[in-house]
Amino acid sequence: MVSLVILAYNQLDYTRQCLESIQNYTKTPYEIVLVDNGSRDGTDDYFVSVRRQWQEAQGQDSENVKSFCQTVKVILNSENLGYAVGNNHGMALAEGEYIVLLNNDTVVTPGWLEYLLSAAQKDPSLGLIGPVSNYVSGLQYIDPVDYETDSANGLEEFATQWSRENAGELLYFWRIVGFCLMIDRRVIDTIGGLDPRYGIGNFEDDDFCIRSALAGFKSAIARGCFIHHFGSKTFKNKSASYRQELLVRNWEIFKEKWGIPQEISYKQAYDLTEVLQQPFTKEKYFCSLMGGGRAIARNQAAISKVQIPLNSSGLIRVDLGCGPRKPEGYIGVDFYPWPEVDIVADLSDRFPFPDNSVDEVRAHDFIEHLSDRIKTMNEIWRICKPGATVNLFVPSTDGRGAFQDPTHISYWNINSFMYYAIEFPAYLELCRSYGFQGAFSIVQIDHHESPGQVLHVQAILKAIKPENDLQFINELNLRKINLILVPNWNQPEEDLLSTLEAAIASVIKHPNSRNITLLIESSQIPENSDIQPNLVLSTIGLNLFYRDDIPSDSEIPEISLLEDPLTPHQWQGLRSQLQYRLAVEGENWKMIEQLGLQNLPIFKEERLKS
């Protein structure tokens, strides 16, 4: 298999044309590694759509991209890391025996990859092979060409004729330009990737070719392979002075690295014979794909997103900080490229998933390695779909584990999660004043003890989001007259039952009861209370039916318990549907104010009875 690494920085229209040509003219098994270097023109979304289309094609039997494209991998970097670093990231994910670095402003032609592979098979000593083109420097340049180079109209006919006349012809030369460069895997294993010191671009391909030659690999131009190159589209948006400054700057870097006299200016001829006769040593000339260069050191985890298939259930489950122990069915994300990791990402920054995209988030023994707790919880909430499950397992400050590991830089206990939960509105409001933007509901939270007096908190949370959090209103069966009752569940049980019975009786006996819905707020019942609201209502209802000659079912009002805590957004939506607050003795006035219900018109029992 051959890995095609395509790096893009904007220029979406050219990128589309490049990928379409690959699909049309590549008849050898290959994988595509798409790397976006911080584009701002929709390239990132396009790359994700390419991945999605490939996945969908896997269920088809027709002969299409599925037949030759083995997989599509996508890397989305948050900034332009330069030609060398971007391509290195792509090569790090590539699995092919050969890797082709292909500019996004190229158009491949019929048989292109077969011609390159044929050259490699013809001479096993070749490490680098390139095509000829209309826009390239050196021996690979072909002029004139008989087609429209601005639009590529007529390209297929010209390239087919050219290949027929030049098939099998090899031109040996040490320098192959990086716009389309096929690399034998042995070369990367020996010399590594491109040198990141060249930054945005220029001379990193010359540098790579020299290192390959020093390591004993030959290079050649497969003249039977013609590829159209629109030419330096990424740089053409820059000014002429910028491009010249970049060339001169990188020429100075190149000269210093390879011992070229300083007086030799850019474009001045210089014999590289002595340079190409230097001995190769890995210590001096090896460039790691994922480290070793200054750009990589500043962006140790610069790969920020890789699209991989969904699991068999169709859900997106993410394991943050998975390390080498990722559970089956999860997308593994970590700072470091452990064998089980699917996405290498800087998780102290933005998490590598879109908003509202993840069904389940798992983070075991991980969030304590992130310094900003509020930012961590914001990012978890951001990527969650409405109602997504969050499973956090973190050393507790109530035990030894939180402090004994020097890599722990944030500290948690059970109370920490109160600040993010709708069950504790006062804490949540305070946390929002600190910058928290979301809301969770606590499904379960408890301690787990491990050997050595290491105590962990396990918090199972549910993401609460505005996108669907008003759906519950439709399930309340609201009518023309909607009342809310906020009893004080802390009062003595006898008083509580008396209060509820009187209120419910007054609603049931109202002459217009069929048009009334009574909502009873019951989410604030203390944890240590034995009161079961549903049982209480059933008991009250039975008492009233047998004792007070209740009307037929058609006359009975709707009575519902609000058992689950609501977000501020949910209360805002519900308040707009309420006409009255049912005022009784033993109301929870503090809760009424907290929920913003104090300004609702009051309906008293006496008024209901009248």
Side-chain angles (χ1 to χ4, degrees):
M1 183 180 69
V2 179
S3 299
L4 310 181
V5 176
I6 300 173
L7 175 68
Y9 177 63
N10 297 317
Q11 307 303 330
L12 177 56
D13 290 340
Y14 290 102
T15 304
R16 288 181 189 274
Q17 202 166 344
C18 176
L19 292 184
E20 288 170 2
S21 72
I22 290 172
Q23 179 175 337
N24 291 334
Y25 298 128
T26 308
K27 308 302 179 184
T28 295
Y30 66 96
E31 67 169 1
I32 296 181
V33 183
L34 301 172
V35 185
D36 179 54
N37 243 356
S39 298
R40 297 295 181 265
D41 64 348
T43 295
D44 52 352
D45 291 336
Y46 172 65
F47 279 177
V48 171
S49 74
V50 171
R51 166 71 198 185
R52 188 181 304 115
Q53 290 167 11
W54 175 82
Q55 286 181 266
E56 293 170 353
Q58 302 314 290
Q60 302 173 6
D61 295 326
S62 59
E63 186 175 288
N64 52 25
V65 66
K66 171 190 172 184
S67 303
F68 299 102
C69 183
Q70 308 300 300
T71 188
V72 177
K73 302 173 183 177
V74 177
I75 301 172
L76 305 181
N77 290 324
S78 59
E79 59 181 306
N80 187 356
L81 302 177
Y83 181 86
V85 175
N87 274 304
N88 283 349
H89 288 168
M91 287 190 282
L93 291 186
E95 299 182 53
E97 181 183 356
Y98 296 95
I99 295 94
V100 177
L101 304 185
L102 186 66
N103 279 17
N104 65 319
D105 61 347
T106 57
V107 177
V108 301
T109 58
W112 75 283
L113 191 53
E114 288 79 3
Y115 288 120
L116 295 178
L117 288 172
S118 176
Q121 293 163 1
K122 186 175 182 179
D123 185 351
S125 68
L126 285 171
L128 307 179
I129 302 170
V132 293
S133 180
N134 62 295
Y135 190 100
V136 64
S137 61
L139 300 179
Q140 294 172 261
Y141 178 57
I142 299 299
D143 183 54
V145 293
D146 188 17
Y147 68 95
E148 297 178 15
T149 56
D150 290 339
S151 64
N153 289 337
L155 169 64
E156 181 176 346
E157 293 78 6
F158 170 80
T160 300
Q161 179 65 28
W162 174 271
S163 297
R164 187 180 299 118
E165 295 173 357
N166 295 277
E169 183 179 345
L170 289 179
L171 178 60
Y172 288 85
F173 190 59
W174 69 270
R175 179 179 182 263
I176 307 295
V177 180
F179 83 101
C180 176
L181 175 61
M182 189 173 85
I183 308 168
D184 190 302
R185 167 70 66 180
R186 297 171 301 162
V187 176
I188 295 174
D189 291 342
T190 304
I191 71 171
L194 301 167
D195 192 334
R197 76 180 70 189
Y198 296 99
I200 297 299
N202 287 316
F203 290 101
E204 66 287 303
D205 49 355
D206 300 88
D207 180 281
F208 188 80
C209 291
I210 291 175
R211 289 188 288 126
S212 175
L214 297 185
F217 296 98
K218 294 179 181 178
S219 300
I221 301 164
R223 285 183 52 81
C225 178
F226 183 92
I227 289 181
H228 175 72
H229 188 198
F230 285 106
S232 301
K233 289 301 176 183
T234 298
F235 292 113
K236 279 189 175 178
N237 285 338
K238 303 292 185 181
S239 66
S241 61
Y242 173 88
R243 299 197 300 270
Q244 183 65 23
E245 288 172 7
L246 187 61
L247 283 166
V248 172
R249 169 192 171 277
N250 281 8
W251 172 242
E252 295 301 317
I253 294 172
F254 184 82
K255 285 194 301 183
E256 180 181 0
K257 177 174 180 177
W258 295 108
I260 297 172
Q262 284 299 307
E263 62 270 17
I264 303 297
S265 62
Y266 174 63
K267 288 191 174 181
Q268 184 178 347
Y270 181 75
D271 186 356
L272 290 176
T273 301
E274 291 187 9
V275 172
L276 292 169
Q277 291 176 348
Q278 297 181 31
F280 175 82
T281 61
K282 277 197 171 185
E283 292 76 15
K284 187 174 182 181
Y285 294 125
F286 185 86
C287 292
S288 171
L289 295 177
M290 294 300 294
R294 288 174 292 177
I296 291 286
R298 290 196 302 271
N299 299 280
Q300 188 174 22
I303 297 180
S304 60
K305 187 191 295 183
V306 180
Q307 295 292 323
I308 67 172
L310 303 181
N311 59 42
S312 58
S313 66
L315 301 177
I316 297 182
R317 295 188 174 115
V318 172
D319 188 6
L320 300 174
C322 66
R325 301 178 300 277
K326 181 188 69 174
E328 185 177 353
Y330 284 78
I331 299 172
V333 190
D334 207 317
F335 283 99
Y336 305 104
W338 300 95
E340 292 292 320
V341 173
D342 299 298
I343 303 174
V344 180
D346 183 359
L347 291 170
S348 64
D349 197 1
R350 185 177 173 87
F351 288 2
F353 296 93
D355 298 355
N356 308 310
S357 63
V358 175
D359 296 281
E360 181 181 336
V361 175
R362 180 182 188 272
H364 283 206
D365 288 306
F366 176 68
I367 61 173
E368 66 272 17
H369 298 280
L370 304 177
S371 61
D372 190 332
R373 296 195 302 180
I374 291 177
K375 184 176 182 180
T376 297
M377 296 303 287
N378 271 335
E379 279 299 290
I380 291 174
W381 182 83
R382 179 187 64 78
I383 68 174
C384 280
K385 293 179 180 177
T389 299
V390 178
N391 181 347
L392 304 176
F393 194 75
V394 57
S396 172
T397 56
D398 295 327
R400 292 182 176 178
F403 303 109
Q404 67 185 23
D405 189 331
T407 66
H408 293 177
I409 52 178
S410 66
Y411 303 97
W412 305 76
N413 56 35
I414 281 182
N415 285 6
S416 301
F417 295 96
M418 295 164 55
Y419 287 80
Y420 308 96
I422 60 177
E423 288 81 3
F424 302 93
Y427 287 109
L428 179 58
E429 183 179 353
L430 181 63
C431 195
R432 283 189 170 134
S433 72
Y434 299 150
F436 181 55
Q437 299 169 357
F440 294 97
S441 177
I442 295 176
V443 178
Q444 177 184 337
I445 189 165
D446 49 28
H447 274 133
H448 293 265
E449 188 167 355
S450 303
Q453 297 182 352
V454 174
L455 200 64
H456 280 81
V457 176
Q458 183 167 29
I460 309 296
L461 311 175
K462 181 176 76 172
I464 306 298
K465 294 208 163 186
E467 287 82 355
N468 77 337
D469 66 356
L470 297 183
Q471 293 179 1
F472 79 101
I473 295 178
N474 298 327
E475 302 169 2
L476 296 176
N477 295 320
L478 298 181
R479 299 181 180 179
K480 291 182 180 179
I481 304 171
N482 301 308
L483 313 175
I484 187 165
L485 172 63
V486 187
N488 181 3
W489 296 92
N490 287 311
Q491 62 184 304
E493 187 172 345
E494 184 177 343
D495 295 340
L496 175 65
L497 292 175
S498 176
T499 297
L500 291 175
E501 184 171 318
I504 292 171
S506 63
V507 172
I508 290 177
K509 294 178 180 180
H510 190 277
N512 200 18
S513 61
R514 72 177 66 188
N515 292 321
I516 294 178
T517 295
L518 173 63
L519 303 177
I520 303 175
E521 208 291 321
S522 60
S523 68
Q524 302 301 316
I525 297 177
E527 290 185 6
N528 59 355
S529 174
D530 295 327
I531 295 175
Q532 300 179 45
N534 281 306
L535 182 59
V536 170
L537 288 189
S538 298
T539 302
I540 291 173
L542 288 172
N543 287 342
L544 292 174
F545 268 97
Y546 287 110
R547 189 185 65 205
D548 295 345
D549 190 23
I550 296 300
S552 64
D553 288 351
S554 61
E555 301 295 326
I556 293 178
E558 181 75 27
I559 300 176
S560 298
L561 290 167
L562 297 176
E563 296 181 277
D564 295 325
L566 304 182
T567 66
H569 181 262
Q570 287 176 314
W571 274 114
Q572 181 181 0
L574 181 58
R575 281 197 301 269
S576 67
Q577 304 294 318
L578 298 174
Q579 282 77 40
Y580 303 100
R581 189 182 88 247
L582 181 54
V584 297
E585 290 188 14
E587 281 185 297
N588 188 340
W589 184 249
K590 181 179 179 181
M591 179 60 60
I592 289 170
E593 289 186 323
Q594 194 172 26
L595 299 178
L597 302 174
Q598 69 274 18
N599 294 324
L600 273 178
I602 296 175
F603 232 119
K604 295 190 177 180
E605 292 176 54
E606 293 76 11
R607 184 177 177 185
L608 276 172
K609 291 175 182 177
S610 64

